[in-house]
Amino acid sequence: MNIWQGEFPRLNTADDGYVGTAPVDAYGPQNSFGLYNMVGNVWEWTASRWDRNGAPDELPQRPAASDEMTKKGGSFMCHKSYCYRYRCAARSQNTADTSSANIGFRCAIDVANSD
């Protein structure tokens, strides 16, 4: 997985080969489903608004730019001294209008049904 290595936030040694994001296939699939980068690289946006109590809010058709949205999984900026969340179930939040380089989304295709 692609995470911060070294002393956060002063020095990223890039021992994993990357200072920022890594190519999607840089580490190979880590499970029997053939999925890549399930942890690290970038936080993954979800379709749920953030709720500190853990109960999902009803998602409006178009959330306001200031609404906090849920993200999961951790990123290349995670470090054990800062955001120790190297797992798929890790959750955090950010505003929908963020321009953070460590947040993205996952694209998937059902190969069995693709043409």
Side-chain angles (χ1 to χ4, degrees), residues 1-113:
M1 70 182 157
N2 181 19
I3 58 173
W4 189 282
Q5 296 167 334
E7 185 183 341
F8 189 86
R10 292 187 192 106
L11 173 67
N12 184 350
T13 61
D15 289 343
D16 61 3
Y18 303 94
V19 173
T21 58
V24 72
D25 60 353
Y27 302 105
Q30 302 297 311
N31 54 53
S32 60
F33 296 109
L35 301 175
Y36 292 79
N37 293 325
M38 293 305 296
V39 177
N41 215 27
V42 296
W43 284 96
E44 181 181 338
W45 279 122
T46 70
S48 302
R49 279 196 294 173
W50 178 254
D51 183 345
R52 295 187 187 279
N53 298 319
D57 285 349
E58 289 296 318
L59 183 66
Q61 278 302 102
R62 292 178 170 240
S66 61
D67 285 348
E68 289 187 320
M69 301 300 288
T70 302
K71 59 185 183 174
K72 66 178 186 171
S75 80
F76 67 89
M77 292 185 66
C78 285
H79 185 269
K80 65 183 178 181
S81 69
Y82 178 62
C83 68
Y84 197 45
R85 296 186 179 117
Y86 311 139
R87 58 193 181 95
C88 297
R91 299 289 190 267
S92 187
Q93 82 283 358
N94 210 323
T95 57
D97 63 351
T98 185
S99 61
S100 297
N102 65 330
I103 301 174
F105 57 92
R106 182 171 300 279
C107 295
I109 186 171
D110 184 347
V111 177
N113 294 324

